[in-house]
Amino acid sequence: DAKTTQPNSMESNEEEPVHLPCNHSTISGTDYIHWYRQLPSQGPEYVIHGLTSNVNNRMASLAIAEDRKSSTLILHRATLRDAAVYYCIPRGGSEKLVFGKGTKLTVNP
Amino acid sequence: NAGVTQTPKFQVLKTGQSMTLQCAQDMNHEYMSWYRQDPGMGLRLIHYSVGAGITDQGEVPNGYNVSRSTTEDFPLRLLSAAPSQTSVYFCASSYFPRKTGMNTEAFFGQGTRLTVV
């Protein structure tokens, strides 16, 4: 399984953009990069995933480095509801979904 | 569409008792897995399955058994509960990522909060 490194915590103000980084230097060429988040007292929920090019959906954008050794999850306008732990997870042929410690995002009003 | 359903939501066990945590999904997903989450910690993979009749161990399998007789159900059994198994348990399911381009978004249940006294 590819190892990931994420900051333990980050802080943002409401309605400002947030960039959550993830290093995954041992990622395999066929692994997709998945992001999940876990709101307080809830199960994790899917946010976004991508392989090589940048991806957008209604929740966030995912920017993937050209060498695929890092990626950044972008929340364009943080809201209080975005306060959660964010997990970056490479996933591919090994099929396992293995969580690291993630980044705890605090959003200030 | 119910998604992933876990039962019960809460359970208190005495040390040495056995019980089964239930997990069911209605999305025809091949991949199912169980995690535990201790206070202030991330999720740790207990067991997973890539289809009916196939299971494998995750990071922390000791003290837990699983079986997968149908695509829909993936129960987790505690044979002799110990206080160290006090935790929140999450079940997840997704399509099996057997080829690129496949959407393998995982869906999680709401969790079972287990206390062993």
Side-chain angles (χ1 to χ4, degrees):
Chain A
D1 303 324
K3 294 202 181 301
T4 60
T5 303
Q6 297 180 254
N8 289 334
S9 62
M10 291 185 65
E11 210 166 314
S12 171
N13 295 321
E14 205 174 3
E15 298 196 4
E16 289 184 354
V18 182
H19 291 232
L20 297 161
C22 179
N23 286 325
H24 31 76
S25 57
T26 61
I27 194 170
S28 124
T30 55
D31 284 353
Y32 276 74
I33 299 152
H34 286 241
W35 284 80
Y36 286 79
R37 72 180 185 181
Q38 187 175 23
L39 303 173
S41 301
Q42 294 191 26
E45 63 176 353
Y46 167 83
V47 177
I48 199 167
H49 77 285
L51 184 63
T52 55
S53 54
N54 296 344
V55 184
N56 301 299
N57 66 19
R58 62 174 180 81
M59 289 180 71
S61 295
L62 177 59
I64 302 171
E66 200 168 326
D67 63 6
R68 291 189 7 103
K69 293 184 177 180
S70 65
S71 61
T72 302
L73 179 71
I74 302 164
L75 306 179
H76 296 285
R77 291 183 68 190
T79 69
L80 296 178
R81 197 196 172 275
D82 292 321
V85 179
Y86 287 79
Y87 299 95
C88 155
I89 307 174
R91 189 183 191 199
S94 68
E95 82 267 359
K96 288 187 291 185
L97 193 64
V98 178
F99 286 75
K101 291 183 168 43
T103 297
K104 182 175 182 179
L105 176 66
T106 300
V107 180
N108 300 313
Chain B
N1 202 357
V4 178
T5 303
Q6 289 184 237
T7 55
K9 287 187 171 48
F10 301 93
Q11 183 71 50
V12 178
L13 285 180
K14 293 183 179 177
T15 297
Q17 285 186 316
S18 63
M19 82 159 294
T20 300
L21 307 185
Q22 301 291 346
C23 176
Q25 52 93 8
D26 61 358
M27 296 170 281
N28 203 31
H29 285 162
E30 304 101 329
Y31 178 85
M32 295 185 75
S33 55
W34 276 102
Y35 298 85
R36 61 177 287 174
Q37 186 171 35
D38 300 326
M41 305 280 287
L43 284 84
R44 292 186 291 172
L45 183 64
I46 305 172
H47 285 286
Y48 65 100
S49 167
V50 299
I54 306 170
T55 64
D56 206 345
Q57 296 181 348
E59 306 166 69
V60 289
N62 292 340
Y64 307 95
N65 280 352
V66 291
S67 60
R68 183 98 180 267
S69 55
T70 67
T71 299
E72 295 78 19
D73 300 298
F74 191 43
L76 178 72
R77 279 183 287 277
L78 284 71
L79 296 178
S80 180
S84 61
Q85 294 178 304
T86 293
S87 191
V88 181
Y89 291 83
F90 290 102
C91 177
S93 76
S94 75
Y95 288 115
F96 177 49
R98 64 172 66 93
K99 59 183 180 183
T100 58
M102 198 171 204
N103 185 358
T104 56
E105 172 187 352
F107 294 82
F108 285 79
Q110 286 303 300
T112 294
R113 189 174 296 274
L114 176 68
T115 302
V116 183
V117 298

